[in-house]
Amino acid sequence: MAKTKTAFFCQNCGAQSPKWLGRCNVCGEWNTFVEEVVQREAKTGTVQTLFNRRPIHPIKISDISYNHEARIIISDQELNRVLGGGLVPGSVTLIGGEPGIGKSTLMLQVALRCKNLKVMYISGEESEQQIRMRAERLGALNENCFILTETNTQAIVQHLEKLNPDIIIADSIQTLQTDLIESSAGSVSQIRECAAEMQKYSKITNTPVFLIGHITKDGSLAGPKILEHMVDTVLQFEGDRNYGYRILRSLKNRFGSTSELGIYEMNDTGLREVSNPSEILLSHRDEQVSGTAIAAMMEGQRPMLIETQALVSSAVYGTPQRSTTGFEVRRLNMLLAVLEKRSGFRLANKDVFLNIAGGIRVEDPAIDLAVVTAVLSSNQDSPVGSKNCFAAEIGLSGEIRPINHIEQRISEADKLGFEAIFLSKYNTKGLDLKRFSIRIIPVGKIEEVYQKLFG
Ligand code: TYD
Ligand code: MG
């Protein structure tokens, strides 16, 4: 029986050493040595022995059998959408997100709601009782959901072989640990090796696997970058913990588009799927207030209407403050400079605060016009009118620029009962205006918008 051998390799130049070194004596880089398995122990019960049982031969591509309908449709429509139309058998999906954002909740919810599927939920973070308590809160119990609080991958594989589940969830990849490597759980080499074992199991048995991953301070997935290369799909669960909304974004997907996203609302019985995002992102107010404007924006392939709120007031201190939530402050500064220089509005000695409702972070440039309108409305102290919405980018010379997916944005605004949408006059080409009952107002300059709203 061959024994497992490990060695340390420099991640920069590939130099090998039997012991860990602080500084590579070949390339001179610091802290680049990582432990890797050189030779595996052929012990029963490891993925390796499973692997060895199925020798692999070259096969003609036309002879490979496959199934169109192979995707497993899970009960969570938002997750199905983000995965590109269901779960692909034999795929490995990595879900990352900040602590407390709801990764475990999301996955347990999937496990509990897939009633006709056998699910193995491996948890290295919580005890069986804790998971049961959470399941009670989520209000669904699946007889076919098994909880395994084991972190050793060799032991896990033995349980998996016995139970043969349809879906595997590992919470989290950082807590798993393999006998093959000596370093402690959560280290780069452990993470890589454990992920490789789970992936091998997944491919051999054609079972879909979800791996939950921690993220580091700077927001990237903890562990080696290679983890993201190994898996088929990388999803990111994000949102502001103080707000109820969560967004599930696809960063990589071998089986679908990465522009899809899923929206959830966290409430006391778990995560609720939000199929109509605009419904929660607009504060349904009857009275008219100044400083708010609605933007018709896109998140991935989904149009949604979102409220931007601005507050403009005279600066108390020498330097005016500019602060934003959900919007890049540099972009706000640019828009304010455009207003000042190109359109002659005096804002240089005003404090400007900007807030995107719902804790959503917006990167779509089409929100520019709504931001500018909200700022002008607050500065003017006259309301924009809650039945108007905006979709256009603003250029450095103050021109109102066209944006993509304009028809989708217009129809979404139309569907939600808005009466008018302001957009760039260059965006109306080829548009069948009669299709919509909403009034379309093409504009070319900020002054025109100002005239039409407050003039
Ligand atoms: P959790 O899934 O443990 O986060 P992660 O695994 O990403 O670290 O989510 C924990 C948070 O979710 C916690 O702050 C409480 C909240 N929560 C609810 O609001 N409602 C619920 O029904 C559940 C189960 C959790
Ligand atoms: Mg968790």
Side-chain angles (χ1 to χ4, degrees):
M1 192 192 283
K3 230 177 114 27
T4 308
K5 261 191 10 210
T6 63
F8 292 82
F9 290 88
C10 171
Q11 299 295 293
N12 187 45
C13 70
Q16 185 180 352
S17 153
K19 280 211 296 274
W20 187 81
L21 297 176
R23 179 167 186 261
C24 176
N25 48 21
V26 178
C27 68
E29 283 292 313
W30 287 93
N31 274 331
T32 53
F33 273 84
V34 166
E35 187 184 19
E36 284 175 26
V37 175
V38 191
Q39 189 181 32
R40 275 165 220 280
E41 188 175 7
K43 210 165 74 183
T44 52
T46 59
V47 204
Q48 195 56 37
T49 54
L50 255 184
F51 204 54
N52 293 343
R53 261 183 259 147
R54 302 184 191 203
I56 295 172
H57 305 291
I59 181 166
K60 270 199 206 151
I61 189 163
S62 52
D63 291 346
I64 301 174
S65 60
Y66 77 106
N67 187 354
H68 274 299
E69 310 293 315
R71 285 188 189 245
I72 303 169
I73 305 299
I74 41 189
S75 56
D76 186 328
Q77 290 315 321
E78 297 292 301
L79 188 55
N80 278 333
R81 183 211 314 267
V82 177
L83 290 172
L87 192 53
V88 176
S91 67
V92 181
T93 307
L94 180 65
I95 299 193
E98 295 199 358
I101 204 77
K103 303 178 294 295
S104 307
T105 308
L106 179 69
M107 283 294 106
L108 187 61
Q109 212 165 292
V110 167
L112 294 175
R113 295 196 183 153
C114 290
K115 290 238 188 302
N116 41 4
L117 298 171
K118 209 194 282 176
V119 187
M120 174 81 108
Y121 188 99
I122 303 161
S123 179
E125 310 220 331
E126 284 153 290
S127 70
E128 287 141 8
Q129 288 82 0
Q130 283 171 321
I131 298 172
R132 175 67 207 257
M133 266 161 62
R134 190 193 293 248
E136 286 298 317
R137 254 180 104 171
L138 299 177
L141 265 193
N142 177 3
E143 285 299 317
N144 275 325
C145 173
F146 294 82
I147 306 293
L148 177 66
T149 51
E150 170 69 69
T151 54
N152 181 286
T153 50
Q154 278 74 31
I156 289 173
V157 167
Q158 284 178 9
H159 289 297
L160 289 176
E161 273 196 275
K162 235 180 277 154
L163 191 70
N164 194 20
D166 300 308
I167 299 180
I168 303 165
I169 298 167
D171 185 3
S172 63
I173 182 72
Q174 278 82 6
T175 55
L176 298 188
Q177 166 253 329
T178 169
D179 288 341
L180 302 181
I181 284 188
E182 275 168 24
S183 56
S184 57
S187 66
V188 170
S189 39
Q190 279 286 357
I191 293 175
R192 180 169 46 194
E193 202 50 39
C194 292
E197 283 178 35
M198 295 307 288
Q199 188 200 31
K200 240 180 230 169
Y201 181 86
S202 161
K203 296 283 182 261
I204 295 169
T205 59
N206 218 17
T207 317
V209 173
F210 285 101
L211 301 175
I212 294 179
H214 295 169
I215 63 170
T216 56
K217 250 200 333 273
D218 60 3
S220 58
L221 276 152
K225 193 76 186 163
I226 195 164
L227 187 57
E228 287 165 59
H229 289 289
M230 280 162 64
V231 301
D232 300 298
T233 307
V234 180
L235 304 181
Q236 185 162 314
F237 206 34
E238 58 186 43
D240 194 319
R241 225 175 319 162
N242 303 323
Y243 291 92
Y245 315 115
R246 301 284 184 274
I247 293 184
L248 188 64
R249 232 180 256 283
S250 158
L251 302 182
K252 163 184 174 179
N253 192 350
R254 287 192 181 142
F255 316 110
S257 143
T258 50
S259 52
E260 289 296 350
L261 91 180
I263 301 179
Y264 297 87
E265 185 184 10
M266 179 68 97
N267 51 35
D268 47 9
T269 53
L271 289 155
R272 179 179 76 90
E273 296 166 39
V274 177
S275 41
N276 178 11
S278 305
E279 126 214 0
I280 54 163
L281 297 175
L282 298 175
S283 52
H284 304 272
R285 252 193 320 249
D286 290 332
E287 88 267 29
Q288 303 256 337
V289 283
S290 67
T292 68
I294 313 289
M297 63 156 218
M298 299 284 292
E299 265 284 9
Q301 296 297 313
R302 281 166 104 179
M304 56 178 86
L305 281 101
I306 192 167
E307 191 172 298
T308 58
Q309 305 171 333
L311 181 67
V312 179
S313 69
S314 300
V316 185
Y317 304 107
T319 335
Q321 296 183 66
R322 270 80 213 264
S323 123
T324 59
T325 41
F327 189 72
E328 212 192 335
V329 75
R330 272 184 300 174
R331 183 119 195 130
L332 175 66
N333 281 332
M334 181 214 105
L335 292 174
L336 293 176
V338 169
L339 281 177
E340 183 95 27
K341 175 105 183 167
R342 305 285 180 192
S343 314
F345 295 100
R346 296 270 149 256
L347 296 164
N349 51 3
K350 300 278 177 76
D351 287 341
V352 179
F353 304 96
L354 188 81
N355 184 14
I356 308 290
I360 299 269
R361 205 184 63 227
V362 183
E363 273 154 20
D364 184 357
I367 196 172
D368 284 358
L369 187 56
V371 168
V372 162
T373 313
V375 167
L376 291 178
S377 160
S378 175
N379 191 38
Q380 199 75 21
D381 203 17
S382 57
V384 170
S386 58
K387 292 290 175 198
N388 293 324
C389 61
F390 305 84
E393 186 181 344
I394 291 182
L396 283 181
S397 58
E399 83 277 18
I400 293 179
R401 307 184 52 179
I403 42 160
N404 55 12
H405 302 296
I406 192 70
E407 287 194 32
Q408 273 165 281
R409 300 177 200 255
I410 300 175
S411 10
E412 179 73 8
D414 202 8
K415 216 162 61 193
L416 290 169
F418 283 87
E419 283 164 9
I421 180 164
F422 287 71
L423 40 87
S424 164
K425 62 180 180 192
Y426 305 109
N427 237 159
T428 50
K429 242 181 268 150
L431 266 189
D432 179 13
L433 302 185
K434 279 180 236 87
R435 257 185 55 210
F436 310 105
S437 53
I438 188 171
R439 198 153 59 92
I440 290 169
I441 308 180
V443 281
K445 284 204 163 326
I446 298 173
E447 294 90 307
E448 287 172 45
V449 183
Y450 182 82
Q451 276 304 322
K452 285 189 161 61
L453 288 172
F454 317 109

